[in-house]
Amino acid sequence: MWPKTELIDLLKIAHPIIQAPMAGASTPELVAAVSNAGGLGSYGGAATAPAELRQIIRQIRDLTDQPFAVNLFAPAVEAYELAPEQHFPMSELLTIWHNELDAGSVPEPIPILGPFLEQFNILLEEKIPIFSFHFGPPPIEAIREIHAIGSIVLVTATTTGEAKALVEAGVDVIIAQGFEAGGHRGTFAVPYEHGLIGTATLVPQIADAVSVPVVAAGGIMDARGIVAAFALGASGVQMGTAFLACPENNIPEVYRQAVLNCKDEDTVITEVFSGRPARAIRNRFIREMENHKDKILPFPAQMSIGRVLRQASAQQSSPDFVSMWAGQGATLAQALPAEELIQKMIQEFLAVTASLQVK
Ligand SMILES: Cc1cc2nc3c(=O)[nH]c(=O)nc-3n(C[C@H](O)[C@H](O)[C@H](O)COP(=O)(O)O)c2cc1C
């Protein structure tokens, strides 16, 4: 039924629908539900400690015998070891909101991602079938090791130049991430503003430029988006925001409600939560940080220093300080279990393609 099968053949899945890895939101239950429904479930493991990552992979394997992916952030210079005077202005500002929420003192920025090499070695030891990376490719040696165990590498690109560089590095599948996408921009080779290209523009350009399968990501919420992705030259889709309303993820209820009540102008690309540009639903923190951009710490120290405030906000059922990553398509989110969502999209794909047949 699918117009192109190169992606599903390579990944050994029935349907070319990848549930995007979402660090902090994806769970073994979500990953397994998607994979059991014939799509590709992906676990966002960037912020998962190595030992826990092994447990999670085993949990996924207990729930499904189908292929699945685990995603890491490509290793980068991570800024945590900041001198106190460097994080003092941000700390002082956060104190105001901590006091308001009775959230105790502002924590020091501590490592909350990686360590990459330890995480990566666990994925290798566990011989996971599909490795996925954000913020650029892993080292060439890592790609060789993945291929040596017979596994596949997927990496996000936000420009045609990035896509070509990934193919040259040996990456098997390109995730073409359009401007509409929820979560962090995967841009790694150019200033992020250069990678703000819409999905409908980016996908055909990358598909023309590379010979590996291209997966469209950004703003795809239902069968209409999947049909469009194929028409643009993709061999599949990666959808994140569409799975945010599924009960199997572990986002706070207040975040889920914000997704379900989102209006089409409600999301914005912002650095205020993590120190790196990411698309999120507008809230009070984004608004009030508008005049304090000079205090934002480098990624991921900003994400680390804000962790207690975000948690306190969620616990108090307030969306004010929660980082509610979501794409421009959030308004189309459907509150369905993941398996039902996939089945519905497949049925609707058939109906949409039938309605497009020339009579
Ligand atoms: C809540 C959330 C968390 C995300 N976390 C990750 C991540 O950890 N790794 C990654 O490669 N992409 C991550 N992304 C980006 C997705 O891979 C993908 O590019 C995006 O979801 C596609 O756009 P859409 O949200 O409009 O479907 C995240 C997206 C969302 C919405």
Side-chain angles (χ1 to χ4, degrees):
M1 67 175 275
W2 301 107
K4 268 197 206 173
T5 60
E6 54 175 359
L7 181 79
I8 55 178
D9 293 345
L10 183 67
L11 302 182
K12 301 190 176 66
I13 54 176
H15 306 304
I17 300 173
I18 303 177
Q19 162 254 317
M22 296 183 277
S26 46
T27 60
E29 290 75 20
L30 178 63
V31 173
V34 172
S35 289
N36 284 335
L40 181 74
S42 319
Y43 182 77
T48 308
E52 198 189 331
L53 201 49
R54 194 189 298 280
Q55 289 311 113
I56 282 172
I57 292 165
R58 292 183 179 173
Q59 262 174 283
I60 296 170
R61 285 203 157 116
D62 283 344
L63 297 168
T64 184
D65 57 1
Q66 297 302 307
F68 63 92
V70 177
N71 174 269
L72 297 178
F73 292 166
V77 183
E78 289 174 2
Y80 292 111
E81 284 173 23
L82 303 171
E85 62 271 20
Q86 282 175 286
H87 60 76
F88 177 74
M90 191 67 229
S91 240
E92 196 185 27
L93 179 62
L94 290 176
T95 302
I96 301 170
W97 297 312
H98 269 248
N99 290 344
E100 183 186 320
L101 268 58
D102 211 4
S105 52
V106 176
E108 293 279 307
I110 54 161
I112 49 168
L113 301 177
F116 176 81
L117 210 54
E118 284 178 41
Q119 291 174 320
F120 177 71
N121 283 336
I122 281 170
L123 305 192
L124 269 187
E125 282 166 26
E126 293 293 322
K127 292 194 169 52
I128 64 152
I130 297 151
F131 289 63
S132 149
F133 297 94
H134 210 50
F135 302 142
I140 300 256
E141 185 50 37
I143 297 181
R144 282 203 202 102
E145 288 177 301
I146 295 169
H147 287 155
I149 61 165
S151 297
I152 309 284
V153 189
L154 280 58
V155 184
T156 293
T158 62
T159 66
T160 306
E162 287 184 343
K164 285 188 194 163
L166 292 176
V167 173
E168 234 164 78
V171 169
D172 304 301
V173 174
I174 303 295
I175 313 289
Q177 189 196 39
F179 171 78
E180 301 90 329
H184 282 95
R185 306 295 308 146
T187 308
F188 60 92
V190 291
Y192 95 89
E193 296 88 345
H194 297 196
L196 297 179
I197 304 165
T199 305
T201 317
L202 183 68
V203 171
Q205 294 184 66
I206 293 184
D208 283 353
V210 302
S211 52
V212 302
V214 176
V215 171
I220 299 169
M221 298 296 291
D222 55 28
R224 294 169 292 184
I226 302 174
V227 171
F230 275 104
L232 294 167
S235 305
V237 296
Q238 177 161 297
M239 305 163 73
T241 303
F243 289 94
L244 285 176
C246 296
E248 295 93 339
N249 65 44
N250 63 357
I251 62 173
E253 190 51 31
V254 69
Y255 177 0
R256 196 186 315 278
Q257 290 307 320
V259 170
L260 286 169
N261 296 315
C262 198
K263 308 276 179 303
D264 60 4
E265 75 283 13
D266 282 354
T267 69
V268 63
I269 295 180
T270 177
E271 300 180 26
V272 301
F273 289 111
S274 70
R276 227 176 148 138
R279 187 176 288 284
I281 298 175
R282 280 181 220 274
N283 63 359
R284 184 176 155 201
F285 189 65
I286 296 176
R287 277 196 308 279
E288 295 189 8
M289 277 295 293
E290 198 52 45
N291 301 323
H292 301 285
K293 292 202 167 150
D294 54 323
K295 301 185 179 76
I296 296 175
L297 303 180
F299 177 86
Q302 178 71 11
M303 192 149 71
S304 183
I305 203 168
R307 65 192 188 276
V308 173
L309 182 64
R310 293 195 298 274
Q311 210 177 11
S313 183
Q315 273 166 359
Q316 295 172 27
S317 300
S318 159
D320 285 359
F321 302 97
V322 181
S323 50
M324 300 185 288
W325 313 126
Q328 287 183 319
T331 166
L332 298 169
Q334 306 172 63
L336 290 174
E339 192 179 340
E340 261 179 63
L341 181 63
I342 292 194
Q343 281 163 358
K344 186 163 185 261
M345 289 194 289
I346 293 165
Q347 292 305 318
E348 287 174 358
F349 180 87
L350 296 172
V352 176
T353 44
S355 75
L356 291 174
Q357 301 296 326
V358 180
K359 301 253 163 45

